[in-house]
Amino acid sequence: MKTIYSPRHHGHAGNVELVAGAVVPAFEMPSRAEYIRSRVEAVKLGPILAPNEHDIAIAKRVHRADFIDFLPTVWPLWVESGRDGTAMPYTWPTRGLRGDVRPQGIDAQLGYYSFDAGATFVAGTWDAIKSSHDVAITAAGLVKAGERAAFALCRPPGHHAGAAFAGGYCFINNAASAAQWFVDQGAKRVAILDVDYHHGNGTQEIFYRRGDVLVVNLHGDPMVEYPFFLGHADERGEGPGEGFNVNYPMPWGTTWETWSAALEEGCRRVADYAPDVLVVSLGVDTFEKDPISKFRLKTEDYPKIGRRIAQLGLPTLIVMEGGYAVEEIGVNAVGVLTGFEEG
């Protein structure tokens, strides 16, 4: 399996986030990608290739153009306003407030285009965002060209980014952009299987009213788990998308037995849909030692995930999302990939 990777992700480093009432160093850090890349090399998974440059207009097929155009302006506007350090929002439009008018000023715009204070900016953030997008589309191109599977080692991740909002360390939704790229290249139906611990709220929001992209999420119960405001089992899509959004929320403490049953059911839904191509949003924050998650999967479970997905027999793009137990992230993420190769 070929891996697409860009060292430009290092530009997004040293930023902080607001979590649990404290401003702390971001859990989403450059070492995550480097542990994975090193493990890919160690197990000789396959060649590691640089991404090609791709037009950002691809991202505008799933995101609002004004949102994408805003992202490269954040750091210059932040500096122009007299600040240094991490650019972070502190106020958001919510129920009872207007969200239809784009305000002026960087602080207001950061809140207008986000849902939390987790997708923060430093000087190199935009270049890392763009390189992550390029990684995903380049890997999609390998699958379109006939590869059985390809791995997009994306950083920053993407599945929390919606049509016009960033959040949860995510800015451009790489999996959604790749799924749309496949549609634009002629795929009639695409499935996205999101196995990250946290619900892919951005991916759901983007495709919720569409029937050409099936979205299946396995995740922590939003009644108690971030991102809280999407991910319930009764969210099935609307209009042309009704029945094409599937959520499997699970309680804290979920182990392999329960989680794998949800994976089995999710894979059946994908198989019934019979897509032309599968996009996997791969998060390994389901791991028992993950510092911000509460599932209890073990290292030996991750190859089983890859083997089950491989049994679908679909051309498959695997896009890296979350996982914050950084010392184990390489073994766990690449475990899914090697399991897929065995399947």
Side-chain angles (χ1 to χ4, degrees), residues 12 78 112 118 123 154 203 206 224 228 237 259 261-262 264 293 304 307:
H12 184 53
W78 186 255
Y112 180 75
C154 291
T203 308
I206 287 169
V224 294
F228 301 115
W259 194 92
E264 184 64 32
S293 307
K304 302 173 194 174
R307 285 193 287 271

Side-chain angles (χ1 to χ4, degrees), residues 86 161 237 246 250-251:
T86 299
V246 186
M250 288 169 274

Side-chain angles (χ1 to χ4, degrees), residues 25-290:
F27 284 96
E28 202 291 293
M29 60 188 72
S31 58
R32 298 176 61 252
E34 294 309 312
Y35 274 112
I36 298 169
R37 181 188 58 80
S38 295
R39 184 66 176 176
V40 166
E41 292 176 337
V43 304
K44 298 180 172 57
L45 181 72
I48 300 175
L49 308 173
N52 299 318
E53 290 282 337
H54 290 277
D55 195 324
I56 201 62
I58 296 169
K60 293 179 179 179
R61 298 279 289 130
V62 292
H63 294 283
R64 255 177 31 198
D66 59 302
F67 169 66
I68 295 298
D69 290 342
F70 167 69
L71 296 175
T73 72
V74 171
W75 187 252
L77 289 172
W78 186 255
V79 172
E80 184 181 303
S81 71
R83 265 81 63 81
D84 55 14
T86 299
M88 177 190 299
Y90 67 87
T91 186
W92 295 267
T94 187
R95 292 175 298 276
L97 303 181
R98 292 194 67 174
D100 62 324
V101 178
R102 185 178 186 267
Q104 297 179 355
I106 184 58
D107 294 290
Q109 290 176 14
L110 280 167
Y112 180 75
Y113 288 117
S114 68
F115 73 91
D116 72 1
T120 56
F121 291 75
V122 291
T125 295
W126 166 247
D127 189 58
I129 294 167
K130 179 58 168 61
S131 72
S132 190
H133 170 265
D134 290 341
V135 164
I137 304 304
T138 301
L142 294 177
V143 176
K144 176 68 168 57
E147 296 282 344
R148 177 188 181 216
F151 177 44
L153 210 182
C154 291
R155 181 180 177 269
H159 73 149
H160 292 307
F165 60 79
Y169 313 135
C170 302
F171 304 88
I172 289 176
N173 194 314
N174 302 306
S177 293
Q180 181 64 53
W181 184 86
F182 283 124
V183 170
D184 292 345
Q185 294 296 310
K188 300 301 182 185
R189 288 189 282 189
V190 178
I192 299 176
L193 175 63
D194 190 322
V195 298
D196 191 282
Y197 172 77
H198 301 96
H199 179 252
N201 57 322
T203 308
Q204 172 172 313
E205 187 259 356
I206 287 169
F207 294 115
Y208 203 64
R209 294 166 182 83
R210 290 175 53 171
D212 57 344
V213 179
L214 172 72
V215 177
V216 178
N217 265 282
L218 286 63
H219 54 279
D221 186 346
M223 289 299 292
V224 294
E225 189 53 79
Y226 177 93
F228 301 115
F229 305 113
L230 280 181
H232 298 281
D234 64 351
E235 296 161 9
R236 301 185 63 254
E238 292 180 355
E242 185 172 356
F244 297 103
N245 189 84
V246 186
N247 286 324
Y248 296 98
M250 288 169 274
W252 287 351
T254 290
T255 61
W256 173 252
E257 182 179 8
T258 299
W259 194 92
S260 62
L263 176 65
E264 184 64 32
E265 180 59 28
C267 285
R268 288 197 199 103
R269 295 295 295 265
V270 171
D272 289 345
Y273 183 65
D276 300 309
V277 63
L278 173 65
V279 178
V280 177
S281 275
L282 175 60
V284 292
D285 41 3
T286 48
F287 183 51
E288 61 184 348
K289 297 180 183 178
D290 195 274

